[in-house]
Amino acid sequence: MSEANQLQSPLEAPVFAASTPSVLHQLNLCNRELERLLHNLRNEHNAEAEIRDIAREVIQAVEINPDVALACIFLSQINGVYAVRHCIETAVVTVVIARAMDLSAASTLTVTAAALTMNVGMLRHHETFQNKNTPLTAEEQAIVRRHPEESVDMLRCVGIEDDEWISCVLMHHENDEGSGYPAGIASPEVTLNAKLLSLADRYCAQVSARNYRRSLPPRQALLNLVEDKVAPVDPLLVRYFQSELGDFPPGCVVRLTSGEIGVVSQRLAGVDARNIHCLRDPAGAVMSPAAQRRTGDDGCCIAESLSEDQASIRFSMKQVWGAQAAL
């Protein structure tokens, strides 16, 4: 990992200047612009430039504060329809991992643009499918399996010919051993960027709340991917997901072994070393002001992750991260 991309050391506390741009606000603007663009893509005359501009804005948001950007996902703070929000969330995770892998700026921009457009071929079906509480029909399954090719067709129709962008979208459901779709190709044909996009897509699909189900705890989502025997994932990418996201990423609501309940606010150097913004004491009373804890300090270990309902707490991101999480 490059020096610029390293996490803050345990001796550093987050500093949030009032003049600092809001990561949350910027991601919500990206989401609104992407929704407008994707729904009108066939009529856009400058689609590639506009999508790349949105990708740059997502990358910039992550660069301002990757912890806040990740927390926006786990606290479901990116507004809009799930189909588009999922693309923004996948792009955020993709950028976090790409920065850790020291991918070039050009490659990071391309795979981010691919994340934003990976599902455009089934956008009109997405909301219907995600609201279903019964299995997809054979016809619906066929639509799902065709969507990478249809997405590529739409991108080419509006003049996007970037080979890496196209290959990422086309292969983001292919698997190393050839069990994926649409073509069932296997490594080494499946590119590393396509595998990065695939893993970010699958991870975000599990940790993001849907209309018909709650999100999975990040720890369980990561374990599901690592232990998936049907679609094994690249070990190199697994290591980056484990080191950069871990079991308790920023935005994860947790109970400490002390009984205090709070939200993970910052990743520190070391796997699962975290700052915790505690909101309730062991007796369940609201802590005012909130207490700051660090895993590794005496009596400060994370016992479990909780949903906000389980924790019986409601808070705004601004309460935890200040101006960088203002609406």
Side-chain angles (χ1 to χ4, degrees):
M1 185 189 304
S2 69
E3 190 171 299
N5 288 343
Q6 289 179 3
L7 304 178
Q8 289 177 288
S9 78
L11 299 179
E12 294 175 325
V15 177
F16 304 120
S19 60
T20 303
S22 168
V23 174
L24 174 57
H25 182 66
Q26 186 157 321
L27 289 176
N28 274 313
L29 288 177
C30 289
N31 191 81
R32 286 199 292 272
E33 182 59 20
L34 183 64
E35 184 171 350
R36 180 200 64 77
L37 184 63
L38 293 184
H39 280 293
N40 195 46
L41 189 61
R42 290 191 183 277
N43 298 318
E44 292 293 332
H45 301 294
N46 198 25
E48 180 170 358
E50 292 188 59
I51 294 166
R52 287 188 184 275
D53 282 346
I54 298 171
R56 288 187 186 93
E57 292 294 314
V58 172
I59 292 168
Q60 183 188 57
V62 174
E63 289 174 345
I64 291 169
N65 192 322
D67 291 329
V68 177
L70 288 170
C72 291
I73 298 172
F74 299 105
L75 295 173
S76 299
Q77 291 298 298
I78 300 173
N79 297 321
V81 297
Y82 172 77
V84 180
R85 173 168 59 90
H86 173 67
C87 292
I88 295 286
E89 292 173 346
T90 300
V92 166
V93 171
T94 297
V95 174
V96 168
I97 303 300
R99 293 175 75 234
M101 293 173 67
D102 279 332
L103 294 189
S104 69
S107 187
T108 300
L109 180 62
T110 297
V111 73
T112 305
L116 297 177
T117 55
M118 61 184 176
N119 292 334
V120 67
M122 69 168 194
L123 192 61
R124 66 187 185 279
H125 301 288
H126 213 296
E127 288 301 312
T128 302
F129 289 178
Q130 78 106 12
N131 286 330
K132 286 192 60 149
N133 54 14
T134 57
L136 297 181
T137 66
E139 182 180 355
E140 290 167 339
Q141 289 175 359
I143 291 170
V144 170
R145 295 183 70 86
R146 287 197 308 268
H147 86 265
E149 294 169 307
E150 294 193 353
S151 296
V152 164
D153 288 344
M154 287 189 68
L155 294 176
R156 285 181 168 147
C157 180
V158 296
I160 296 169
E161 296 294 341
D162 183 308
D163 288 341
E164 184 62 23
W165 182 342
I166 293 295
S167 70
C168 283
V169 172
L170 187 61
M171 294 191 290
H172 76 280
H173 283 293
E174 300 288 4
N175 298 321
D176 269 354
E177 80 302 337
S179 64
Y181 61 86
I185 63 174
S187 287
E189 287 185 71
V190 185
T191 68
L192 181 62
N193 280 351
K195 290 190 282 189
L196 167 56
L197 177 54
S198 173
L199 197 55
D201 177 25
R202 291 162 60 188
Y203 179 79
C204 287
Q206 295 186 66
V207 300
S208 185
R210 312 273 189 104
N211 291 347
Y212 62 89
R213 69 157 172 82
R214 290 180 176 175
S215 58
L216 288 181
R219 186 178 204 169
Q220 184 61 53
L222 194 55
L223 186 65
N224 288 350
L225 294 177
V226 171
E227 296 186 345
D228 192 337
K229 305 302 183 187
V230 176
V233 296
D234 188 300
L236 173 66
L237 289 173
V238 167
R239 288 197 294 274
Y240 278 109
F241 271 70
Q242 289 172 327
S243 65
E244 294 305 305
L245 301 175
D247 290 339
F248 307 106
C252 185
V253 178
V254 295
R255 186 195 313 276
L256 303 181
T257 50
S258 65
E260 294 173 317
I261 291 175
V263 59
V264 177
S265 59
Q266 185 188 16
R267 299 168 298 162
L268 303 172
V271 176
D272 279 335
R274 300 290 188 261
N275 271 340
I276 314 295
H277 191 91
C278 288
L279 300 167
R280 289 191 182 272
D281 68 17
V286 174
M287 301 176 75
S288 183
Q292 304 299 319
R293 306 281 186 246
R294 293 186 179 192
T295 57
D297 289 351
D298 288 344
C300 183
C301 294
I302 296 175
E304 61 178 333
S305 60
L306 304 169
S307 68
E308 287 183 72
D309 288 339
Q310 287 174 317
S312 297
I313 57 173
R314 290 291 182 269
F315 59 92
S316 72
M317 286 186 63
K318 189 176 180 180
Q319 286 175 254
V320 180
W321 289 277
Q324 289 187 337
L327 286 170

